[in-house]
Amino acid sequence: MPYTLPPDAVWFITGCSSGIGLALCTHLSQKPSTRIVATARNPSTLTTLPSTPTILKLALDVTSESSIRAALSATLRAFGRIDILINNAGYNILSEAELVTPSAAAHLMATNFWGPMRLTQLTLPILRSTNARSGRAGGVVLQVTSLGGRLAFAGNAFYHASKFALEGFTEAIAKEVDEGWNVHFACIEPGGVRTAYAATSIAPKPQTSSQAYADPNTQTNLLRKHHEMPEAMSGWVEAEDVAKAIVGVVERGEIPLRVPLGADSWGLQKKGLEAHLERLEAAKEVALSVCSKERGEEQLKAIEFLKV
């Protein structure tokens, strides 16, 4: 069923100190009846947002179970419900995967995947049950996964691992919820966005290095060089336009599972899907060689109940 956004909807947004999160809060603050929960690890970074009764600024460390629970509880005390959860907080490590320490990789996964996953788990009962008590059951969960949740590029292995995981989790949970709950899920997949992300949300290069990756023409080193070019972001979209598009998707009510944003995201995803289909066709002979035609038909028939 289509989703109807309440005029006084409560938007709970992570990672609001800059970039898309800040742009979302700023855009939503122009809607007088909308209520916003703006969160950041350090709430002092939220001073650019107006201080009004409709904006609740909270500290939130998405890697901390107690911090997540405290932020959700504070939201319910203030507003009584949550209508839209936007998991936006995240960062990247631009490095060859071999050189990233297990602790650094684990912290990235905790921020980019485990935190959003836990927030989704704990918010779902609010959307389903708490909201129902006020006569408006349901809500929306938006995961900001980026183009990096669909395609992988050199130098970003753990970022892609976290975003691929979040996309898979979201696709599965979207198929688990009862349609009557009126809970909707979407993965928001921007391409390049003109924010301070490259400066503030990419962890420093690991101290360890290897001559094996010294060639300046490796894909990772070429990407590093590209990031250092002043014109690298010249063709990227504005965070404000991304924010407007995200809000527009929710307001329209027909919420697709995946929302590519930007010509680069849409175009590269299309190329990626076409290339994947070619590779899939190339593997067909090997794939079907493990079973007879009759057994293959049985296999397909046995799983017809699964939603794709």
Side-chain angles (χ1 to χ4, degrees):
M1 70 176 74
Y3 177 71
T4 301
L5 180 68
D8 60 345
V10 178
W11 297 67
F12 186 107
I13 307 169
T14 70
C16 298
S17 59
S18 63
I20 294 173
L22 178 59
L24 277 164
C25 293
T26 302
H27 178 64
L28 289 167
S29 68
Q30 298 167 15
K31 301 175 183 291
S33 62
T34 295
R35 295 171 290 177
I36 305 162
V37 184
T39 72
R41 286 177 62 92
N42 181 0
S44 67
T45 60
L46 303 174
T47 53
T48 57
L49 293 173
S51 296
T52 71
T54 59
I55 299 180
L56 179 64
K57 303 174 187 179
L58 295 177
L60 174 59
D61 177 358
V62 298
T63 69
S64 165
E65 173 86 6
S66 60
S67 181
I68 290 172
R69 288 184 175 275
L72 293 176
S73 295
T75 300
L76 293 180
R77 287 195 300 271
F79 298 137
R81 59 187 291 120
I82 295 171
D83 295 286
I84 317 295
L85 167 65
I86 302 184
N87 281 311
N88 169 68
Y91 72 99
N92 189 16
I93 299 174
L94 179 56
S95 171
E96 295 81 2
E98 181 184 351
L99 307 182
V100 178
T101 65
S103 60
H107 189 270
L108 183 146
M109 292 297 295
T111 303
N112 291 13
F113 173 66
W114 292 111
M117 178 277 296
R118 191 62 178 135
L119 270 162
T120 301
Q121 285 183 316
L122 293 174
T123 302
L124 185 55
I126 298 172
L127 305 181
R128 180 184 61 234
S129 303
T130 303
N131 292 358
R133 290 196 286 272
S134 64
R136 295 185 313 213
V140 180
V141 177
L142 303 179
Q143 320 281 24
V144 181
T145 59
S146 88
L147 169 63
R150 298 289 277 166
L151 294 175
F153 304 98
N156 299 273
F158 293 101
Y159 179 80
H160 292 306
S162 67
K163 297 300 188 177
F164 274 47
L166 189 55
E167 290 244 354
F169 168 78
T170 304
E171 182 173 342
I173 197 171
K175 294 173 180 177
E176 294 173 359
V177 299
D178 189 292
E179 187 175 331
W181 297 354
N182 194 26
V183 176
H184 305 259
F185 296 84
C187 294
I188 306 298
E189 302 165 342
V193 182
R194 297 181 69 177
T195 68
Y197 183 87
T200 62
S201 298
I202 296 181
K205 183 179 178 181
Q207 294 294 321
T208 56
S209 61
S210 171
Q211 284 301 113
Y213 299 107
D215 184 345
N217 293 314
T218 67
Q219 286 295 305
T220 303
N221 286 328
L222 289 173
L223 186 60
R224 285 195 183 99
K225 184 178 180 181
H226 175 73
H227 276 301
E228 293 167 359
M229 296 168 60
E231 65 272 21
M233 293 192 295
S234 61
W236 292 5
V237 299
E238 300 291 345
E240 293 75 14
D241 292 327
V242 171
K244 291 176 185 176
I246 292 171
V247 174
V249 167
V250 178
E251 289 178 337
R252 283 192 294 273
E254 295 290 347
I255 301 172
L257 179 62
R258 291 186 168 88
V259 184
L261 293 177
D264 51 356
S265 181
W266 188 90
L268 284 172
Q269 287 198 49
K270 184 173 184 292
K271 286 184 178 180
L273 288 169
E274 290 169 347
H276 178 70
L277 186 57
E278 288 180 6
R279 291 190 292 266
L280 189 63
E281 287 294 334
K284 182 177 181 180
E285 183 178 349
V286 174
L288 301 186
S289 68
V290 299
C291 57
S292 64
K293 180 180 179 181
E294 292 75 17
R295 178 60 60 83
E297 291 173 351
E298 289 176 13
Q299 286 180 324
L300 286 172
K301 192 172 182 178
I303 57 173
E304 282 179 347
F305 68 94
L306 293 175
K307 293 182 180 180
V308 178

